Amino acid sequence: MGNASKINILLVDDHPENLLALEAILESPAYHIVKALSGEEALRCLLNQPISLILLDVQMPGLNGFATARLIKERESAQHIPIIFMSAIHKAYEYVLKGYSAGGVDYLFTPFDPEIVRAKVTALVELFNRESQSKQLVDILHLNERRHRYRSLAEALPIIVWTASPDGPIDHINKEWRNYTGMTFDQSKGWRWAAALHPDDLQYCLDRLTRAIRLGKDCDIECRLKRKDGSYRWHRLRTAPERNLKGKLMGWFGNAIDIHEQRQVEETERKKTKRSS
């Protein structure tokens, strides 16, 4: 079987030994393995041959995995290629979220289970082949898989996490929000969650969020959220756009992290500096 009849899989990692290990795991008469030692080299590989799947290391010098994925998704001819992110270091949920936001369909942590890697690659390659007949199928699966994984992860996290529809209304929020605010999902869905914002922060937050939604960009805000006991604590709210394989905005991922103690320390330091000046 010549390369022309094989499925090209691109492996991207700055460590040659990792590429060799992955190549051994994926050894098959059906696959032709293409290897790249950097994000820049990976982009060049996409110009030379059709690629059906990309396994992409997150931590690389120069262009890291997330930046490489975004550049890949900017190319019309490559927007539909499934990307699996791989990482031995970045295992926190922030990086999983960042991977999905960059257009990844999966996020694997090393050390790998060879059977799991082979099963995922087989499934995605089959999906890619069907995509040539039905691109809409891949889009739907891609979106649903990311949302399902994100929501499952969110329920286990000790911070507030949500998803929202393309125009901004919240369509899912995790139990940490319910525990913190005492508000049910029905009381929080859409834009009702804004009732938990401190009155002095309300307009500022809504202005920033609506602007980010209009521009389709990330948003990072510090504001106060009301607890169910009536007190307020400072939080850092962050949102990131959720895009499909074609780059179309499909919704939003978001989280809120309690930074109350940090703000208090900063305020104390400001007062000390002011008194000494």
Side-chain angles (χ1 to χ4, degrees), residues 46-91:
L46 292 173
L47 297 175
N48 299 327
Q49 57 210 305
I51 299 294
S52 298
L53 176 66
I54 301 172
L55 278 73
L56 180 58
D57 183 36
V58 171
Q59 184 66 28
M60 296 186 294
L63 278 179
N64 66 27
F66 300 136
T68 301
R70 291 192 175 93
L71 289 173
I72 290 171
K73 295 302 179 181
E74 287 179 2
R75 297 183 176 185
E76 186 175 353
S77 61
Q79 288 177 354
H80 60 294
I81 302 174
I83 297 175
I84 298 177
F85 285 106
M86 308 175 295
S87 180
I89 301 173
H90 298 310
K91 301 185 179 183

Side-chain angles (χ1 to χ4, degrees), residues 6 10 36 38 90 92 103 105 111-112 117 124 131 135 140 144 162 171 181 189 196 201 225-226 235 243 267 269:
K6 290 188 176 186
L10 175 59
S38 67
H90 298 310
V105 299
F112 302 126
V117 174
L124 285 170
E131 188 269 348
K135 290 185 178 181
I140 292 171
N144 288 345
W162 68 86
D171 54 25
T181 65
K189 66 183 180 181
D201 302 334
L225 291 175
K226 188 177 182 179
H235 283 71
R243 300 186 184 279
E267 182 61 27
E269 290 300 318

Side-chain angles (χ1 to χ4, degrees), residues 70-167:
R70 291 192 175 93
L71 289 173
I72 290 171
K73 295 302 179 181
E74 287 179 2
R75 297 183 176 185
E76 186 175 353
S77 61
Q79 288 177 354
H80 60 294
I81 302 174
I83 297 175
I84 298 177
F85 285 106
M86 308 175 295
S87 180
I89 301 173
H90 298 310
K91 301 185 179 183
Y93 86 97
E94 294 102 323
Y95 294 99
V96 178
L97 166 60
K98 199 169 183 180
Y100 290 145
S101 297
V105 299
D106 211 335
Y107 199 110
L108 297 177
F109 302 128
T110 57
F112 302 126
D113 182 319
E115 291 300 321
I116 290 177
V117 174
R118 281 192 287 268
K120 286 178 178 288
V121 167
T122 299
L124 285 170
V125 165
E126 290 176 355
L127 181 61
F128 178 88
N129 290 337
R130 291 198 299 271
E131 188 269 348
S132 62
Q133 303 171 0
S134 176
K135 290 185 178 181
Q136 185 178 8
L137 175 62
V138 175
D139 239 13
I140 292 171
L141 184 61
H142 176 80
L143 177 60
N144 288 345
E145 182 176 337
R146 285 195 300 170
R147 285 220 153 194
H148 174 72
R149 287 175 179 276
Y150 184 77
R151 289 177 177 180
S152 297
L153 178 65
E155 288 305 310
L157 292 173
I159 64 169
I160 295 165
V161 178
W162 68 86
T163 61
S165 58
D167 54 349

